[in-house]
Amino acid sequence: MTEEEAPCPPLLYPTRAEVDACAYPNWPERVKLNGLDATVIPIDRSGPAYAWLLSDGIDMTVIDRWTKSRNPPEDSDSEDTETQTQTQAEAEAEAETDHPAVYELFDTIEATIKKYDGTVFTKTDWSSARDVSWIYNASNGLRACTVEDVVLYLKSSDFITHDLMMPYDGCVDVEEGDVSLPPTVHLVLKQFYDLRVANEVRVFVKDGKVLAMCQRQSDVFFAHLLEEEEWRHPMVEKVHKFMGERMLEPMQSVGLDKFVCDLYVTPGQGYVRVIDVNPWHPATCDAGLYTWEELHTLSLSPPASPCDMRVVESQAGIVDTRVLSSGFPLEMTQGMMGVDGMTLDDLVASMKECNMQ
């Protein structure tokens, strides 16, 4: 077998401890200080608030009842006829969802939104609701201004559900049938900033060294990133400096020598902020403008000089992402397979051609 025909070595997957280390509450303080302001709200996995988050459907009437519970009518005779004639089944259903712990969660969310001047970004330990941004107007940057907004993101997102139910899926040290989960999940509400996605960089770290980097939004073409001297090179220099001085050592101190992080870089103003830290996980983390096979091969023979940043070089060069794929309804995705020989990849290619016209 020739070298070109040699199969790629098995891809690396994370351990349970590495996944835990990437959860926002477990970030080293030095890393949090270089991130965006955030408030962590713990949710007991055995409690009613967690059960409500996983319950089927999105029943927003529970928020209406929570609002009314804080401002009860002074005269009970003035209650709505609908409330007075409530059926026993409706009362039992409300008793299951309208638990004091659920109302307390709403209270905390509302207080946090006020703390951050009325807008927050919603995520859990590892993931945000980026997969549903196409539903709730992607141009708003997943801005949440009300408790209703936060609840919609939490209850709609498959990425969030994965955090809640399967955080250790694919870990190398999890045996088949092991369904153990951490006792607490965390809702992380970050102060909302209107970030320019062109300034976001995805960095791949292996063996405590920066292995590769690329623009985070691999499904968008930013022409100005092709200007090396004015944009790309200053961004690359700042990323390498930041990683060496403020990121690599703290993450190694919590047992992480391989991970993927997203940074916000401003070439002109010169500051770098940590957006997120992700496990080195081919099944749940996008490889950006690389493939996981390519990254694994790079890790076996790391480049001697500091890496450059890959960027999308034209509209034809955009790459499909988990977020983009999640924008297709399941029925549509399944229906595309095998119909007139067309697959989902063919559909994405067709969309690229339309964007170029």
Side-chain angles (χ1 to χ4, degrees):
M1 181 178 291
T2 66
E3 183 177 347
E4 291 182 355
E5 296 173 336
C8 178
L11 297 180
L12 294 176
Y13 284 80
T15 64
R16 189 191 301 249
E18 288 173 333
V19 170
D20 284 340
C22 290
Y24 179 82
N26 298 330
W27 290 8
E29 285 303 317
R30 285 174 60 188
V31 174
K32 287 182 181 178
L33 288 174
N34 288 287
L36 307 177
D37 292 340
T39 295
V40 177
I41 304 172
I43 301 174
D44 185 353
R45 199 179 290 275
S46 62
Y50 176 78
W52 174 78
L53 281 175
L54 288 182
S55 61
D56 291 338
I58 305 176
D59 180 11
M60 302 305 289
T61 61
V62 64
I63 296 181
D64 294 334
R65 294 191 295 273
W66 161 70
T67 302
K68 292 177 181 178
S69 72
R70 299 182 303 167
N71 301 287
E74 296 181 2
D75 185 358
S76 60
D77 293 335
S78 65
E79 293 182 356
D80 295 339
T81 303
E82 181 180 351
T83 303
Q84 293 174 341
T85 60
Q86 183 182 49
T87 66
Q88 181 177 355
E90 290 172 335
E92 291 175 353
E94 288 184 13
E96 292 181 0
T97 59
D98 295 24
H99 192 282
V102 177
Y103 282 9
E104 289 174 10
L105 175 61
F106 294 166
D107 289 338
T108 306
I109 292 172
E110 183 181 57
T112 305
I113 292 173
K114 291 179 179 178
K115 171 184 174 182
Y116 292 131
D117 299 325
T119 54
V120 296
F121 179 86
T122 307
K123 71 184 300 288
T124 43
D125 287 280
W126 300 274
S127 304
S128 67
R130 294 176 65 216
D131 56 320
V132 297
S133 61
W134 65 281
I135 301 176
Y136 299 113
N137 182 9
S139 64
N140 77 351
L142 292 178
R143 181 196 311 263
C145 303
T146 65
V147 175
E148 289 91 336
D149 291 340
V150 174
V151 168
L152 281 172
Y153 289 139
L154 292 175
K155 297 278 284 183
S156 304
S157 171
D158 288 340
F159 291 1
I160 297 293
T161 300
H162 185 277
D163 273 16
L164 298 178
M165 299 183 66
M166 300 180 292
Y168 301 132
D169 187 34
C171 289
V172 295
D173 54 351
V174 174
E175 298 181 0
E176 185 176 355
D178 183 355
V179 294
S180 58
L181 297 169
T184 305
V185 297
H186 301 91
L187 172 59
V188 182
L189 298 181
K190 294 186 176 183
Q191 183 167 4
F192 183 86
Y193 295 93
D194 193 9
L195 303 179
R196 295 182 58 191
V197 294
N199 289 3
E200 297 177 6
V201 181
R202 173 150 288 192
V203 183
F204 302 88
V205 174
K206 177 68 171 59
D207 296 326
K209 299 178 181 179
V210 174
L211 182 68
M213 70 176 78
C214 64
Q215 67 179 69
R216 186 189 187 197
Q217 299 291 104
S218 60
D219 56 349
V220 185
F221 169 56
F222 300 109
H224 70 277
L225 291 182
L226 298 178
E227 301 172 10
E228 295 184 354
E229 296 301 323
E230 184 175 356
W231 286 96
R232 194 160 83 242
H233 286 174
M235 291 178 72
V236 170
E237 290 176 4
K238 286 179 172 58
V239 168
H240 280 294
K241 186 174 188 294
F242 177 85
M243 295 296 293
E245 294 180 354
R246 305 191 182 188
M247 196 76 181
L248 296 178
E249 189 278 328
M251 298 311 291
Q252 284 185 303
S253 72
V254 295
L256 271 182
D257 68 348
K258 68 176 188 292
F259 60 92
V260 181
C261 64
D262 297 319
L263 306 178
Y264 188 77
V265 186
T266 55
Q269 297 173 334
Y271 65 80
V272 179
R273 292 290 182 266
V274 181
I275 299 175
D276 220 341
V277 179
N278 310 282
W280 182 285
H281 201 324
T284 62
C285 182
D286 280 327
L289 294 174
Y290 297 85
T291 65
W292 280 107
E293 290 78 11
E294 184 180 8
L295 289 168
H296 187 50
T297 300
L298 274 175
S299 72
L300 299 177
S301 301
S305 57
C307 64
D308 196 0
M309 180 174 74
R310 280 192 185 178
V311 299
V312 176
E313 297 183 354
S314 69
Q315 286 285 4
I318 66 174
V319 175
D320 187 17
T321 67
R322 292 175 63 232
V323 174
L324 179 61
S325 298
S326 67
F328 296 101
L330 179 61
E331 295 82 359
M332 180 180 178
T333 303
Q334 293 174 336
M336 291 300 300
M337 300 305 174
V339 178
D340 296 327
M342 180 176 282
T343 66
L344 185 58
D345 287 339
D346 296 326
L347 180 61
V348 172
S350 176
M351 292 173 63
K352 291 180 183 179
E353 292 178 3
C354 291
N355 288 336
M356 294 173 62
Q357 294 176 355

